């Protein structure tokens, strides 16, 4: 990996500060999170109170179903 020069780092800092450091969610991201919420509701699991095992389970179910639906669409 090459190192960035001081000027490149300053430019990156400026762009990040102006436009935000995190990329906005895509349409597909928004659809996935909406679907994830429905899977939590289906299994009657509250995300903020879910154990790691519950959260992992719901995430795996949501990913497999969501992307299978996308592939079949």
């Amino acid at each position: 990996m090459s190192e960035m020069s001081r000027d490149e780092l300053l430019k990156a800092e400026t762009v990040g500060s102006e436009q935000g450091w995190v990329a906005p969610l895509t349409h597909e991201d928004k659809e996935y999170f909406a679907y994830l919420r429905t899977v939590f509701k289906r299994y009657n699991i509250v995300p903020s109170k879910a154990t790691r095992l519950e959260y992992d389970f719901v995430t795996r179910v949501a990913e497999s179903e969501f992307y299978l639906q996308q592939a079949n669409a």
Side-chain angles (χ1 to χ4, degrees):
M1 183 171 103
S2 64
E3 292 186 29
M4 295 177 78
S5 71
R6 185 178 193 292
D7 290 337
E8 291 171 322
L9 287 171
L10 289 173
K11 182 177 179 183
E13 178 73 31
T14 302
V15 171
S17 296
E18 291 172 356
Q19 299 179 10
W21 289 101
V22 178
L25 294 176
T26 65
H27 180 69
E28 183 178 342
D29 292 336
K30 291 176 185 177
E31 287 180 344
Y32 172 75
F33 282 116
Y35 189 77
L36 181 64
R37 285 192 299 271
T38 66
V39 176
F40 271 109
K41 287 180 184 179
R42 180 189 325 157
Y43 290 102
N44 200 28
I45 297 173
V46 178
S48 62
K49 296 180 181 177
T51 65
R52 171 53 69 190
L53 185 62
E54 291 171 327
Y55 194 85
D56 288 345
F57 169 75
V58 171
T59 302
R60 288 176 189 255
V61 169
E63 285 178 356
S64 65
E65 291 178 355
F66 180 78
Y67 292 113
L68 181 62
Q69 288 177 4
Q70 296 294 319
N72 290 333

